[in-house]
Amino acid sequence: MTITRESLTQAATHGQPLDHLTAGQVWAAHKLAIPPERLQRPLASHIGILLENVERKARRHFFGGVERSDTDTMIARAYDEQHPPFLRLPILEVLRQGMDEHFPDLKPAGYDDQGQAVYALADIAQALDVPEDELLDHAEQQGMLDQIKQTPAPHRVH
C-alpha cells in the first residue's frame, strides 16, 4: 500500500494504524507533516526514532499524573480533543460499549456539533433510578455543573 497525505490524515484523525505504521506513528507523522514518501517501507531509522519520541511525549502528556484508579481524570482526558485520537478514541469506544451494555434503553436526546451523543438529564436519572437533583449535586461536587448548564442544545434525533 502506498501512503498518501489523504490516507495519513484520515488514519490520524480516526486513531488508526496505516500499512506498517502504528496508530501512534501515524498521528506523529501527521502532526509533524512528514511527507508520505518518507514513510514508505522500510522506514528510515531516524524517522522511526522521531515518530517514537513524539508518540512517547503524547502518551506522557495523556497519562501523566493519573493514578490507576482515577477514572474521572481518564474519562475527562478522553473527551479532551487536545489529546491525540489514537489515545482518546479507544477509551471513548469502551465507554460507548459500557453504556450500550449497562443502559440499553438509554438513548441519546440528540447530538452535539461534533457528532457526540447528548443525553437528557431526566433520562439519565431514570436509568440510574435516582432523582435529577442528586445528579446535579454530584455534578456540582465534581465541578461539572457549569459545563452542564452551558452545553448548547443538542441537535435532536428525528
Side-chain angles (χ1 to χ4, degrees):
M1 168 185 210
T2 301
I3 297 173
T4 65
R5 193 161 304 283
E6 293 79 24
S7 65
L8 188 66
T9 298
Q10 177 151 347
T13 303
H14 291 92
Q16 299 172 331
L18 179 63
D19 196 33
H20 59 283
L21 301 175
T22 67
Q25 288 174 322
V26 167
W27 174 81
H30 177 70
K31 179 177 173 65
L32 296 172
I34 294 178
E37 59 272 10
R38 303 292 304 260
L39 300 171
Q40 303 304 322
R41 191 184 310 242
L43 193 60
S45 62
H46 68 283
I47 299 289
I49 291 168
L50 177 62
L51 297 178
E52 181 182 322
N53 286 331
V54 171
E55 178 183 349
R56 188 178 314 129
K57 182 179 178 185
R59 286 183 186 279
R60 274 195 316 264
H61 184 62
F62 187 74
F63 294 109
V66 180
E67 297 295 324
R68 250 180 148 30
S69 61
D70 190 357
T71 56
D72 289 341
T73 299
M74 283 311 309
I75 290 170
R77 288 186 183 180
Y79 280 103
D80 185 347
E81 293 187 0
Q82 77 170 338
H83 296 291
F86 80 96
L87 295 171
R88 298 178 330 94
L89 295 179
I91 295 170
L92 293 175
E93 178 61 19
V94 169
L95 291 171
R96 187 195 60 73
Q97 289 172 354
M99 288 290 289
D100 290 348
E101 180 180 333
H102 295 286
F103 302 103
D105 296 331
L106 183 62
K107 302 297 179 210
Y111 294 87
D112 65 13
D113 291 336
Q114 288 76 41
Q116 297 294 323
V118 177
Y119 297 88
L121 187 62
D123 295 341
I124 294 171
Q126 182 179 8
L128 296 172
D129 195 25
V130 298
E132 285 184 53
D133 291 343
E134 188 175 322
L135 291 179
L136 289 171
D137 289 344
H138 182 71
E140 186 173 21
Q141 290 169 4
Q142 296 295 316
M144 298 171 53
L145 192 57
D146 287 342
Q147 180 183 352
I148 290 172
K149 289 183 177 181
Q150 293 174 359
T151 301
H155 304 285
R156 294 283 174 204
V157 178
H158 299 287

